[in-house]
Amino acid sequence: MIITAGKRSFQELNNEIRGMLLSEDMIRVEDVNGQRYIGAALDKGKTIEIHGTPGNDMGAYLNGGNIEVYGNGQEAVGNTMGGGSVTIHGHVGDTLGYAMRDGEIFVEKRAGSRAGIHMKEFHELLPVVVIGGVAGAFLGEYMAGGILIVLGLDNTDKLPVVGAHCATGMHGGRIFIRGEVPQENISEHITAVKELDSRDTEDLQRHVRAYCEKFGRSFDEIMSVPFTKLVPTTSRPYANLYTPN
């Protein structure tokens, strides 16, 4: 089933999408032009294929559904999502996966600032974000759990793989960065681990392989470059700001 977005308001478009999903499991939305909240709270078993550029908060509170975008995403993709998957065949803006609790996000190209901030995990709930290009400043800020992977592919502008203040306030989770990471861009509240353990390697390979399958990239080529793992040095990075030493 196909819906044409065009210049329609986000309210009108989302009303039609929700109404159609009552009887359909998969719909295609064409000519998307910045309409917000597409796929918000989409349930398990439902799929939305988007052609164009969706607006802010696409896939917010995603509840197990699947969204695939043939175009770029704007800000807050996957905001507080609780399961499901988002695939972006392009770039995304800031705050990708904000407060994400479960599910997977795959971005073919670059991500803006503050990707993965406040991500968290709980028992079997494990959010994963894979960014194919470089990522902006404050990657993993206040990260409490989950996995962030940055591949730095197709970096013709020779930008840092991650921007300034990476992992500021990080107190949980793991960040895997392909290639060299500028020390001045890494927060003092994390430690860089040069060698990955067997669990890290297994997780990293699984998610990189999924990225390659989605975007037609070479798994062997990507994995030929070593990865750095960033983990927090403490679960309370700012404890001394509020309590006596």
Side-chain angles (χ1 to χ4, degrees):
M1 194 65 69
I2 298 175
I3 295 175
T4 300
K7 296 182 179 180
R8 299 161 66 189
S9 71
F10 72 89
Q11 296 100 326
E12 180 185 352
L13 177 62
N14 284 308
N15 285 338
E16 182 172 356
I17 291 173
R18 284 191 289 268
M20 191 167 290
L21 285 171
L22 293 175
S23 58
E24 301 288 338
D25 290 335
M26 188 276 180
I27 63 171
R28 175 172 172 169
V29 187
E30 297 182 340
D31 194 23
V32 176
N33 291 280
Q35 288 90 349
R36 293 171 282 172
Y37 312 122
I38 297 175
L42 186 68
D43 287 328
K44 185 177 181 179
K46 303 292 184 179
T47 298
I48 300 177
E49 182 180 293
I50 297 172
H51 294 258
T53 303
N56 293 355
D57 281 306
M58 187 205 74
Y61 306 103
L62 194 68
N63 193 34
N66 301 297
I67 300 175
E68 188 155 14
V69 179
Y70 292 89
N72 298 322
Q74 294 189 31
E75 274 64 57
V77 169
N79 178 5
T80 324
M81 65 181 279
S85 69
V86 175
T87 302
I88 309 286
H89 294 264
H91 306 284
V92 294
D94 297 338
T95 61
L96 170 71
Y98 173 84
M100 185 179 173
R101 296 168 293 172
D102 195 18
E104 299 176 332
I105 299 178
F106 294 90
V107 178
E108 181 182 12
K109 299 179 181 179
R110 296 180 183 177
S113 298
R114 289 187 159 89
I117 68 171
H118 289 293
M119 280 175 62
K120 59 206 71 175
E121 63 183 87
F122 182 74
H123 295 302
E124 74 280 2
L125 304 179
L126 180 70
V128 177
V129 173
V130 183
I131 298 167
V134 299
F138 293 98
L139 176 82
E141 184 182 27
Y142 304 119
M143 185 176 175
I147 296 174
L148 276 172
I149 301 172
V150 183
L151 302 178
L153 301 175
D154 305 325
N155 188 11
T156 55
D157 295 330
K158 305 300 181 183
L159 297 171
V161 181
V162 295
H165 311 297
C166 177
T168 298
M170 179 185 183
H171 53 282
R174 292 170 289 165
I175 301 177
F176 299 102
I177 300 173
R178 181 175 177 266
E180 295 184 5
V181 182
Q183 285 298 120
E184 64 271 18
N185 287 1
I186 298 176
S187 167
E188 62 183 6
H189 299 297
I190 59 93
T191 180
V193 181
K194 294 182 180 179
E195 294 186 2
L196 283 61
D197 61 29
S198 58
R199 174 196 175 213
D200 295 327
T201 300
E202 180 181 346
D203 289 342
L204 178 64
Q205 290 183 351
R206 182 171 67 256
H207 299 306
V208 170
R209 197 178 299 279
Y211 174 91
C212 292
E213 290 173 355
K214 288 176 179 292
F215 302 116
R217 302 300 297 245
S218 168
F219 174 81
D220 291 337
E221 180 181 347
I222 290 175
M223 297 305 297
S224 68
V225 176
F227 281 77
T228 297
K229 179 177 72 170
L230 306 181
V231 294
T233 58
T234 174
S235 62
R236 302 180 66 203
Y238 297 119
N240 289 339
L241 295 179
Y242 306 105
T243 60
N245 289 328

